[in-house]
């Protein structure tokens, strides 16, 4: 069923709450909120951009009373289409609630914890914490430029930081639609804010609470067990993945099945000493041995370890160059503005039939090539010498420990390492940072001669030794381009492909995923199921318990899009099909 429900007309109600300016009904203006960052698109009855927590609550009440689907959306940077409508087979109209105007961040206990509102971002949090000598739980990864704090929690995102794990909290403030179809507010922030929903939301928004109202219950505000879990290099299970039942709790992992207003999370001291080592080798076994040694024998865990294959290095160098230059010269703060400008340019260009699709990307790509090589000389030398590149960050006492280990290790093993200068470190990390977006740009520039893009993020077991993919010829022959990169310490790999022209990408993906199943791998690892992956049973059960009427973000994980989780008679069970 499509969105043309003549009996539902709540536009005036929505305008009365947020104003006409922030109630988008025009198809052209709704488009940026109804199309995923990489995939997924559909129609929405309206896009609403509330300016306060109370406005979100009032919009939710109107939608629930009118039996309208709600999709909560923050930065819309997800890669699996999980925060936008997808297709036309919903049984009710859809209202998208964009929360990006509500980006407040409040400090708790001198910045040791923070409360991030629905639209707050990691960029904003980093700036907020700097004066306190602290940093966020998560760092910006290659795939989440401008990512939101709440979005990360709702999707169990990230985990690149070895000592901290994926985004997680047991303290949040959210609205839930009960099995009776009633909207209720749940305050588990650990702060006394009142009794009635609007009172609670107003008191939080305006910080009308005192120090004595803030409690410190026995609840986690981060995955504080992860550093022990990742050290177990002989375990037969992955260290982290989206469907892990141990980290599905209320807002954490809910994937939009709750309307999350705010989350309370831990922060961490900025290290006093910091060093990046750039490692190169031609033997995957060498990297795996280093990984196992560092995790199991080091007294001080490294901060992170980002992997890039040589092919990813090359594609990122050419097709991620504009993003690299913008961040390097202007800073990360400019990225959200650049994305907004790109959307505006593409929206206007789309009005003219003679203009190419994604006009802004074409301009940026050609413009970036006018600049000289942006990568350090020693990195470029390693690109020629080594197939596998590993950026290992260390801090404090771990710096000397890692240096001594690497010096000794490479006396007996193939490969070498660079002790990076500050400039080399920044550029190496930034080069890895822009990798994911580079594949889409590559496909845009060369897509006429290629098939479709296929992306997989997979978590291999902690005891996996043969981590580097070797596809059988019958699959490899169907692929034109392969990009391998990832978070190597936790065995989370991003394995992205562009098919040869005419190849069925879904069929190829099904074959690859079946091979992962046989190896005990889990997928997706950190991008969540969205509308691309099947939600495994534990995740499906969590979604149904969390949203019993299927009112919020239905269809996630290829589940039912229908009210009360009904299934159409001609629907098929996706389980095991590898979609």
């Amino acid at each position: 069923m499509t969105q043309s429900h003549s009996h539902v007309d709540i536009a005036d109600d929505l305008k009365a709450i947020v104003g006409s300016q922030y109630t988008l009904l025009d198809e052209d203006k709704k488009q940026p909120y109804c199309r995923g960052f990489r995939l997924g698109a559909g129609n929405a009855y309206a896009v609403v951009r509330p300016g306060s927590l109370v406005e979100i609550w009032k919009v939710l009440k109107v939608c629930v009373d009118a039996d309208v689907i709600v999709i909560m959306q923050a930065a819309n940077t997800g890669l699996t289409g999980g925060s936008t409508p997808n297709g036309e087979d919903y049984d009710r109209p859809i209202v998208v609630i964009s929360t990006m105007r509500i980006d407040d961040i409040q400090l708790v206990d001198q910045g040791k914890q923070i409360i991030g509102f629905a639209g707050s971002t990691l960029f904003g949090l980093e700036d907020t914490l700097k004066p306190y000598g602290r940093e966020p739980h998560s760092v910006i990864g290659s795939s989440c430029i401008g990512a939101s704090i709440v979005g990360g929690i709702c999707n169990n995102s990230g985990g690149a930081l070895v000592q901290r794990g994926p985004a997680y909290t047991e303290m949040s403030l959210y609205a839930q639609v009960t099995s009776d179809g009633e909207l209720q507010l749940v305050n588990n922030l650990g702060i006394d804010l009142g009794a009635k929903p609007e009172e609670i939301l107003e008191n939080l928004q305006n910080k009308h609470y005192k120090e004595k109202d803030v409690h410190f219950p026995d609840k986690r505000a981060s995955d504080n067990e992860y550093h022990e879990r990742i050290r177990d290099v002989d375990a037969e299970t992955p260290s982290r993945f989206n469907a892990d039942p141990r980290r599905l709790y209320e807002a954490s992992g809910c994937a939009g099945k709750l309307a999350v207003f705010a989350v309370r999370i831990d922060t961490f001291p900025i290290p006093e000493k910091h060093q990046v080592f750039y490692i190169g080798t031609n033997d995957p076994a060498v990297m795996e041995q280093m990984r196992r040694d560092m995790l199991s024998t080091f007294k001080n865990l490294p901060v992170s370890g980002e992997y890039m294959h040589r092919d990813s290095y090359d594609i990122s160098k050419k097709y991620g160059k504009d993003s690299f230059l913008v961040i390097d010269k202007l800073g990360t703060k400019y990225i959200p503005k650049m994305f907004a400008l790109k959307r505006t340019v593409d929206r206007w260009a789309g009005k003219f039939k003679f203009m190419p699709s994604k006009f802004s990307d074409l301009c940026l790509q050609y413009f970036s090539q006018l600049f000289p090589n942006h990568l350090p000389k020693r990195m470029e030398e390693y690109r020629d010498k080594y197939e596998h590149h590993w950026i290992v960050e260390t801090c404090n006492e771990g710096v000397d420990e890692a240096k001594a280990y690497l010096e000794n290790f490479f006396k007996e093993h193939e490969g070498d390492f660079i002790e990076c200068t500050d400039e080399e470190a920044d550029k190496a990390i930034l080069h890895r940072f822009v990798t994911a977006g580079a594949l889409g740009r590559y496909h845009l520039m060369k897509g006429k001669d290629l098939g479709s893009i296929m992306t997989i993020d997979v978590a291999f077991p902690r005891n996996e030794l043969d981590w580097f993919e070797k596809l059988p010829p019958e699959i490899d022959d169907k692929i034109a381009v392969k990009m391998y990169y990832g978070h190597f310490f936790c065995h989370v790999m991003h394995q992205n492909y562009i098919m040869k022209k005419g190849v069925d990408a879904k069929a190829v993906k099904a074959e690859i995923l079946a091979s992962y199943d046989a190896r005990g791998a889990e997928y997706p690892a950190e991008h969540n199921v969205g509308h691309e992956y099947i939600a495994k049973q534990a995740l499906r059960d969590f979604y149904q318990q969390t949203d019993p009427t299927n009112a919020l973000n239905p269809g996630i994980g290829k589940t039912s899009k229908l009210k009360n989780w009904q299934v159409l008679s001609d629907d098929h069970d996706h389980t095991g099909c590898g979609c």
Side-chain angles (χ1 to χ4, degrees), residues 351-365:
K351 296 178 182 292
F352 303 95
K353 292 182 179 180
F354 64 88
M355 297 289 280
S357 175
K358 296 190 176 181
F359 177 70
S360 64
D361 283 278
L362 294 172
C363 293
L364 287 169
Q365 182 60 35

Side-chain angles (χ1 to χ4, degrees), residues 424-450:
E424 287 173 330
D426 290 343
K427 291 192 172 184
I429 293 168
L430 183 50
H431 185 50
R432 165 65 183 87
F433 177 95
V434 300
T435 305
L439 182 68
R441 179 67 61 75
Y442 180 99
H443 189 262
L444 176 67
M445 303 302 295
K446 297 178 176 288
K448 290 183 180 179
D449 302 316
L450 299 169

Side-chain angles (χ1 to χ4, degrees), residues 262-322:
V263 295
R264 179 173 167 182
I265 57 175
D266 290 331
T267 69
F268 299 85
I270 296 175
E272 296 178 5
K273 185 178 181 181
H274 183 262
Q275 179 63 53
V276 170
F277 299 97
Y278 196 95
I279 299 168
T281 180
N282 291 305
D283 185 354
V286 167
M287 276 190 59
E288 182 58 34
Q289 185 61 55
M290 284 189 287
R291 171 189 170 273
R292 293 176 64 86
D293 289 347
M294 291 182 186
L295 291 178
S296 62
T297 68
F298 274 28
K299 181 178 180 181
N300 305 282
L301 279 175
V303 174
S304 67
E306 294 299 293
Y307 167 73
M308 289 182 73
H309 184 266
R310 178 189 282 153
D311 292 345
S312 293
Y313 183 107
D314 291 344
I315 291 174
S316 183
K317 177 182 175 182
K318 184 172 183 179
Y319 296 98
K321 187 175 181 179
D322 58 297

Side-chain angles (χ1 to χ4, degrees), residues 224-244:
N224 58 5
E225 300 172 333
Y226 186 76
H227 63 285
E228 298 174 356
R229 182 177 177 84
I230 199 171
R231 281 188 180 275
D232 187 0
V233 295
D234 293 315
E236 297 180 351
T237 56
S239 57
R240 62 181 175 93
F241 55 99
N242 286 130
D244 187 353

Side-chain angles (χ1 to χ4, degrees), residues 43 121 153 184 190 256 301 344 366 438-439 448 502 524 566 568 572:
N43 294 322
T121 65
I153 292 293
Q184 66 176 15
L301 279 175
T344 300
Y366 288 123
L439 182 68
K448 290 183 180 179
Q566 298 176 71
L568 291 176
H572 69 279

Side-chain angles (χ1 to χ4, degrees), residues 106-137:
Q106 297 179 357
L107 300 179
V108 176
D109 193 18
Q110 298 298 308
K112 292 178 183 177
Q113 291 183 331
I114 65 96
I115 298 167
F117 285 20
S120 58
T121 65
L122 292 175
F123 288 142
L125 179 55
E126 188 175 10
D127 287 343
T128 299
L129 291 174
K130 274 182 183 177
Y132 296 84
R134 301 188 73 83
E135 62 185 8
H137 160 272

